[in-house]
Amino acid sequence: MSKFSKKDILLEIEDLQIQGYSDEQWVDIIKGVDLTLHRGEVLGLIGESGAGKSTIGAAAMGYARDGTRISGGTIEFDGMELTTASEAEKRALRGSRIAYVAQSAAASFNPAHKIIDQHTEAPVQYRIQKRLEAQEDAMKLYEQLRLPNPEEIGFRYPHQVSGGQLQRAMTAMAMSCRPDLIIFDEPTTALDVTTQIEVLAAIRDIVDQFNTAAIYITHDLAVVAQMADTIKVLLKGEEVEQASTEEMLENPKEEYTKSLWAVRSFKREQKSRPTDGTEPIISVKNIDASYTGSAKVLDDVSFDIYPGMTVAVVGESGSGKSTVARCITGLLPPSKGEILFRGEPLPPDYHKRTRDQLRQAQMIYQMADTALNPKVQIHEIIGRPARFYSGLKGSALKQRVDELLDLIELEPSQYYNRYPPELSGGQKQRVGIARALAAEPDFIICDEVTSALDQLVAEGILRLLDRLQQELGLAYMFITHDLATVRSIADEVVVMQNGKVVEQGPKDEMFTPPHHPYTDLLLSSVPEMDPNWLTTLLEERGVDNVGESADV
Amino acid sequence: MGDLLRLVLKRLGYGLLTLLVVSILIFFAVEMLPGDVAEQILGQGATPETVARLREQLGLNQPAVVRYLQWLGGAVQGDFGISATSGDPVMDVIGTRFVNTLFLAAYAAVIAVPVAIILGIIVALLRNTIFDRVANVLTLTSISSPEFFLGYILILFLAVKANMFPAIANLSSGMDLGELLYRTFLPALTLVLVVTAHMMRMTRAAIIALLSSPYIEMARLKGVPPWKVIVRHALPNAWAPIINVVALNLAYLITGVVLVEVVFVYPGIGQALVDAVSKRDFPVVQACSLIFAATFILLNLAADVGAILTNPRLRHPK
């Protein structure tokens, strides 16, 4: 079936079972998964969160996270059985023969030590290299991974290096002992699309070069299509199917896999601005803003949002998207310019706004987890704004909460008295939406509302927002870095970079060339399902230009 | 580096401000007590005329604010006035005693701090083992028994039964350091037992709290041995809470040891304060209170600065 022969098997997992401890009992989280990996092969593990991808990745190193245990099956790495090996034997493999690249490099580098000290730790400990040799080798790896200033960058502390660079430094660290196998656990999920490309290209190059086998864990199909030879789809701790990348993309067999592929199909009709002279509901006029004492984060930002329309504000992290939202809501008074609501200027500071002005700008946040008070019941979370803004009490309030729960498609009788931690991520986000709706606003700011969610769940949220918009005539300002989301729901697009608006206009125009160079870079950086997409793109851009072409 | 210096200076400024506020509180709290130094010196047989004359001599008939400023001006130069009972300058009464207290505190700290931190690291490494439990129970026992009780137990076993150390820590001039250390060993040991538990448990908790961080998992998955995970990867990030607890305990060693001083008849400042309070010797009480407050503020300041210095984000700005 593949280009790998049987005798080259590096890792063989059979009937792996892992249990997790919750509510004082052991629950199965991995229910009998088989996995075979050959030398030099890259296996993509995909599935939604909770599918057990990372758990399997850790188990391939014989490692069970705190609160989990390997309860059955075998894990054979190059002739060594890891389920029965001693702690010391397993430790001897880690770092030297099996290495790990974590999701968030910023959190996974120790803040107290320089990058190079962390890099050389494993090779020095295993006596593979002396300290100075290891250091020189690190610089070579940094160069291969196209890090800027490879001679010097290692001598910085992690917080002095950007996220994309840290992720590459972590890949270099994983390579320090030239392992046979690297586990990549969502290594680009936390990165912007433009940065993601650099990291993907770097990882792919280095894995090819040293013929390292890899398990590449991700929930992003388009990413895995670029990286993997073989793809395995997981659902709730069980394998759905496995096939070579080409076959999986062209011809998925299982319904679940097909549904994953189909997610990106949601699209709604694009609306255009009203022509009858209606005033924009929110108009941002020449705004400058800065946080205390630092440089400008917004520089002359202007755009309009008309009633009933969705305006997507896109850009990389640090481009000022969320700062604009803070200015509109009055959390951060702009240092220059003004915000108009239906033609009337809003006071810059929210303390000075009337209750009716406040109700008009509601927010839905990225992390529903942290945006909802875990100790407060759902009806209170939703009921508070209804009470505060509309003065509802008693049965009228209860009726309103029920209505809102109906709107977000949660059964009122079931959810009325529950607490946020008892809900799933998607349900929590729905409660966040209901809380915003409770104020009966005409305009809602959605700050990356789907980026913490799995694709299927995110799709549900987008459909809900769309339905609410049609029924209630809401206008949305949709902050996101995900261009697929923009494609599916936006009417107009505002592209931001370094606190400036670089381009804006109706979606169809924005997605058809010619673009502003930065828009072009953003658009072309979104991974596509085509397994040759990354190769083609890199050829087009020229390998050496990766990451640098962002300069305008 | 300039940022860091500014930060430290700012903290120092706040510390001085706090001390000023505390000095006001101390002065006027004592002021509100019934009676004054003049009545105290002259005793019950005093006639109103003699009291009034002494008040004038001591400047007590001036407004409180003026006397406060005079007192503060003197205190800044180390002059806390005249003791009401002995008639000697306050600094002569408490000066040597404060040095004695500092000596005992330093003695106990030099033993307790390293022992507590090393023990804390060891129990974090061996967490949930028998060793961890035993260490916890023992240190908890020592912290929950009153100091004077611990002191008597130590006297009973080490002084009376084993006859290894003197039960009374009387000092005389001309003792060399070895003699001094030998004579004050029991009070120092009592203090060590009292403060170790708190610091050890905080070290353990601070380290264990970090063990679920992604960078600790990363270190483990790099094959770093468990002791090194703790010492090299967790400890450097755990210093801030540890330093804070150490500072609090050091402050306690200076300001809270009166019971131990009484048990071992040690001539420290704690006893001086208790004597002064019972004899209503206000200048001495004020001086001791101010010294204690300054100790607390200074140690907390040091803890803040220490916590800042151990944070690489502040030490190495972008």
Side-chain angles (χ1 to χ4, degrees):
Chain A
M1 171 179 119
S2 71
K3 58 184 173 174
F4 303 103
S5 69
K6 255 208 140 60
K7 62 172 197 257
D8 276 343
I9 288 180
L10 178 68
L11 176 74
E12 185 148 39
I13 296 179
E14 272 176 13
D15 194 28
L16 177 68
Q17 298 183 22
I18 296 176
Q19 295 180 322
Y21 196 73
S22 75
D23 294 336
E24 310 199 354
Q25 57 180 343
W26 289 97
V27 190
D28 289 323
I29 44 178
I30 302 294
K31 304 153 188 162
V33 170
D34 299 328
L35 186 156
T36 308
L37 188 70
H38 305 80
R39 282 182 190 281
E41 182 181 5
V42 178
L43 172 78
L45 274 185
I46 64 169
E48 299 173 45
S49 60
K53 309 173 300 254
S54 298
T55 314
I56 294 178
M61 310 179 74
Y63 181 81
R65 291 203 160 84
D66 287 343
T68 66
R69 64 175 184 196
I70 297 172
S71 53
T74 57
I75 304 165
E76 194 179 315
F77 176 79
D78 205 15
M80 182 173 159
E81 178 53 48
L82 298 187
T83 47
T84 53
S86 72
E87 228 9 80
E89 284 171 326
K90 280 188 280 187
R91 199 171 55 239
L93 288 181
R94 293 181 192 147
S96 64
R97 299 198 58 203
I98 313 178
Y100 180 77
V101 174
Q103 172 167 1
S104 164
S108 299
F109 268 110
N110 192 327
H113 299 293
K114 287 178 186 158
I115 293 171
I116 199 114
D117 293 335
Q118 303 185 51
H119 181 110
T120 55
E121 195 172 8
V124 170
Q125 178 186 316
Y126 291 115
R127 297 174 201 286
I128 295 169
Q129 285 162 328
K130 294 230 166 49
R131 167 72 211 215
L132 276 179
E133 283 174 74
Q135 204 163 297
E136 268 165 35
D137 185 57
M139 291 169 187
K140 265 185 227 144
L141 285 171
Y142 292 155
E143 200 175 349
Q144 274 171 318
L145 286 161
R146 294 195 287 275
L147 279 166
N149 298 330
E151 304 275 314
E152 174 270 333
I153 195 165
F155 295 94
R156 298 195 211 164
Y157 284 84
H159 68 270
Q160 297 171 317
V161 176
S162 76
Q165 293 172 357
L166 268 187
Q167 202 71 45
R168 278 179 278 170
M170 175 157 286
T171 307
M173 184 161 84
M175 272 294 169
S176 63
C177 296
R178 303 294 184 274
D180 301 309
L181 169 63
I182 301 185
I183 317 285
F184 291 98
D185 192 352
E186 306 245 15
T188 60
T189 309
L191 304 175
D192 285 315
V193 276
T194 46
T195 326
Q196 169 169 280
I197 293 204
E198 302 161 23
V199 177
L200 288 181
I203 290 177
R204 204 172 63 171
D205 278 4
I206 204 142
V207 167
D208 274 354
Q209 209 167 344
F210 296 107
N211 198 30
T212 316
I215 294 179
Y216 196 98
I217 297 163
T218 178
H219 66 270
D220 190 333
L221 297 160
V223 165
V224 85
Q226 312 310 317
M227 311 300 286
D229 302 307
T230 321
I231 294 180
K232 186 192 278 294
V233 182
L234 293 171
L235 174 65
K236 293 180 182 145
E238 281 173 291
E239 177 178 328
V240 176
E241 64 176 313
Q242 171 173 354
S244 72
T245 302
E246 288 80 15
E247 200 181 318
M248 189 67 99
L249 290 176
E250 277 163 24
N251 194 11
K253 296 204 171 44
E254 298 294 322
E255 275 308 309
Y256 175 71
T257 320
K258 284 180 194 160
S259 77
L260 280 179
W261 265 233
V263 161
R264 292 170 178 237
S265 59
F266 173 65
K267 226 175 212 158
R268 74 160 174 69
E269 285 288 297
Q270 180 182 339
K271 281 179 270 184
S272 46
R273 293 185 176 193
T275 46
D276 55 4
T278 317
E279 272 188 290
I281 188 155
I282 285 281
S283 150
V284 176
K285 286 216 182 304
N286 310 94
I287 276 195
D288 283 7
S290 61
Y291 292 102
T292 38
S294 55
K296 264 194 220 176
V297 272
L298 291 183
D299 186 1
D300 199 23
V301 172
S302 303
F303 56 85
D304 296 327
I305 300 174
Y306 283 86
M309 291 182 70
T310 302
V311 175
V313 179
V314 299
E316 300 176 52
S317 55
S319 60
K321 312 185 291 283
S322 296
T323 310
V324 178
R326 292 176 64 88
C327 288
I328 295 177
T329 53
L331 289 169
L332 179 75
S335 52
K336 215 186 91 206
E338 57 180 355
I339 316 260
L340 305 181
F341 177 75
R342 296 196 197 277
E344 299 280 318
L346 284 175
D349 190 335
Y350 76 95
H351 289 108
K352 301 205 175 74
R353 293 188 185 176
T354 64
R355 207 168 267 208
D356 200 50
Q357 284 171 329
L358 285 173
R359 82 188 296 156
Q360 296 301 346
Q362 293 296 312
M363 276 197 81
I364 309 172
Y365 300 88
Q366 175 174 10
M367 306 299 272
D369 267 334
T370 48
L372 301 181
N373 186 337
K375 302 279 187 207
V376 175
Q377 290 173 336
I378 303 300
H379 72 86
E380 176 60 24
I381 292 178
I382 302 175
R384 211 199 79 90
R387 217 167 44 223
F388 179 76
Y389 290 114
S390 315
L392 296 176
K393 272 189 218 124
S395 60
L397 181 65
K398 181 171 186 328
Q399 202 188 337
R400 174 72 179 141
V401 171
D402 285 355
E403 226 175 83
L404 287 164
L405 283 170
D406 273 334
L407 269 180
I408 54 165
E409 295 155 16
L410 295 180
E411 177 53 43
S413 59
Q414 261 189 43
Y415 291 95
Y416 193 79
N417 283 324
R418 292 178 72 180
Y419 290 91
E422 299 166 20
L423 306 186
S424 72
Q427 289 170 335
K428 279 184 223 169
Q429 197 54 282
R430 281 165 191 260
V431 172
I433 295 173
R435 177 172 61 182
L437 291 176
E440 298 178 57
D442 294 322
F443 167 65
I444 297 183
I445 299 171
C446 306
D447 191 354
E448 302 268 10
V449 285
T450 55
S451 31
L453 302 172
D454 289 313
Q455 292 182 34
L456 279 174
V457 183
E459 157 113 349
I461 296 287
L462 292 182
R463 284 185 194 275
L464 172 67
L465 286 171
D466 182 43
R467 209 199 73 216
L468 292 170
Q469 182 166 50
Q470 284 171 16
E471 288 175 12
L472 308 170
L474 299 167
Y476 295 135
M477 171 175 156
F478 209 96
I479 299 171
T480 183
H481 65 269
D482 179 11
L483 291 157
T485 312
V486 176
R487 271 209 177 90
S488 59
I489 62 142
D491 299 314
E492 292 184 8
V493 183
V494 175
V495 181
M496 290 190 65
Q497 184 193 19
N498 302 331
K500 291 192 185 105
V501 173
V502 295
E503 201 178 12
Q504 56 180 310
K507 177 177 67 175
D508 50 359
E509 280 174 32
M510 298 293 288
F511 280 100
T512 28
H515 307 293
H516 181 275
Y518 179 71
T519 314
D520 194 47
L521 177 81
L522 272 184
L523 285 176
S524 64
S525 300
V526 179
E528 288 166 22
M529 287 295 190
D530 173 11
N532 296 317
W533 165 80
L534 182 61
T535 320
T536 324
L537 182 80
L538 291 177
E539 274 166 12
E540 276 172 13
R541 287 194 189 169
V543 171
D544 295 332
N545 289 330
V546 176
E548 302 304 321
S549 48
D551 295 338
V552 182
Chain B
M1 211 57 207
D3 282 355
L4 205 60
L5 196 69
R6 204 172 318 139
L7 218 106
V8 171
L9 287 178
K10 211 165 96 187
R11 288 295 161 97
L12 200 64
Y14 285 144
L16 284 176
L17 197 69
T18 318
L19 196 57
L20 191 72
V21 173
V22 170
S23 75
I24 294 174
L25 285 178
I26 291 170
F27 185 86
F28 288 96
V30 170
E31 193 65 23
M32 281 195 299
L33 294 175
D36 63 11
V37 180
E39 288 177 7
Q40 197 54 41
I41 292 175
L42 294 171
Q44 292 203 332
T47 61
E49 292 78 43
T50 50
V51 171
R53 206 167 51 236
L54 189 61
R55 280 201 181 129
E56 199 163 335
Q57 258 177 29
L58 294 172
L60 290 180
N61 48 358
Q62 285 172 301
V65 177
V66 174
R67 276 181 290 125
Y68 166 71
L69 289 176
Q70 284 171 350
W71 174 69
L72 190 69
V76 170
Q77 297 161 35
D79 172 17
F80 289 97
I82 308 287
S83 162
T85 46
S86 65
D88 298 327
V90 171
M91 269 324 274
D92 292 354
V93 179
I94 57 172
T96 45
R97 283 175 167 261
F98 185 57
V99 171
N100 287 345
T101 295
L102 281 183
F103 170 75
L104 187 62
Y107 190 2
V110 162
I111 302 173
V113 173
V115 164
I117 290 176
I118 291 169
L119 262 181
I121 292 170
I122 294 175
V123 293
L125 187 60
L126 302 176
R127 60 195 172 281
N128 304 329
T129 61
I130 279 293
F131 181 84
D132 180 23
R133 302 233 162 88
V134 170
N136 260 318
V137 167
L138 286 184
T139 49
L140 267 185
T141 313
S142 73
I143 203 178
S144 9
S145 338
E147 300 104 302
F148 64 86
F149 177 71
L150 272 179
Y152 284 130
I153 295 275
L154 290 178
I155 290 177
L156 176 65
F157 286 103
L158 295 180
V160 179
K161 293 213 164 156
N163 210 7
M164 286 158 67
F165 295 98
I168 290 179
N170 56 342
L171 306 179
S172 52
S173 54
M175 283 196 286
D176 63 7
L177 187 66
E179 177 78 13
L180 216 58
L181 291 179
Y182 173 71
R183 285 192 168 263
T184 54
F185 181 75
L186 284 188
L189 184 62
T190 314
L191 290 174
V192 166
L193 287 179
V194 172
V195 297
T196 301
H198 199 187
M199 293 189 282
M200 183 199 91
R201 291 168 67 80
M202 183 48 94
T203 306
R204 176 187 187 272
I207 289 176
I208 287 179
L210 290 177
L211 290 184
S212 56
S213 333
Y215 58 84
I216 296 293
E217 176 163 272
M218 188 70 218
R220 287 186 183 144
L221 290 176
K222 254 183 348 188
V224 176
W227 67 267
K228 220 171 154 187
V229 167
I230 300 257
V231 175
R232 207 182 120 77
H233 289 274
L235 188 62
N237 296 295
W239 280 125
I242 297 176
I243 288 175
N244 266 309
V245 139
V246 168
L248 274 182
N249 279 288
L250 292 184
Y252 166 82
L253 283 179
I254 293 171
T255 61
V257 296
V258 61
L259 287 175
V260 175
E261 288 177 6
V262 171
V263 168
F264 292 97
V265 203
Y266 184 82
I269 199 172
Q271 280 215 48
L273 177 61
V274 172
D275 287 350
V277 168
S278 61
K279 291 179 190 154
R280 301 166 63 91
D281 188 346
F282 299 138
V284 174
V285 173
Q286 285 172 339
C288 288
S289 307
L290 198 62
I291 289 174
F292 285 177
T295 310
F296 258 102
I297 290 169
L298 199 69
L299 283 168
N300 276 304
L301 178 78
D304 280 356
V305 172
I308 291 167
L309 287 178
T310 57
N311 184 338
R313 280 167 206 274
L314 292 170
R315 236 180 330 134
H316 308 277
K318 276 196 175 175

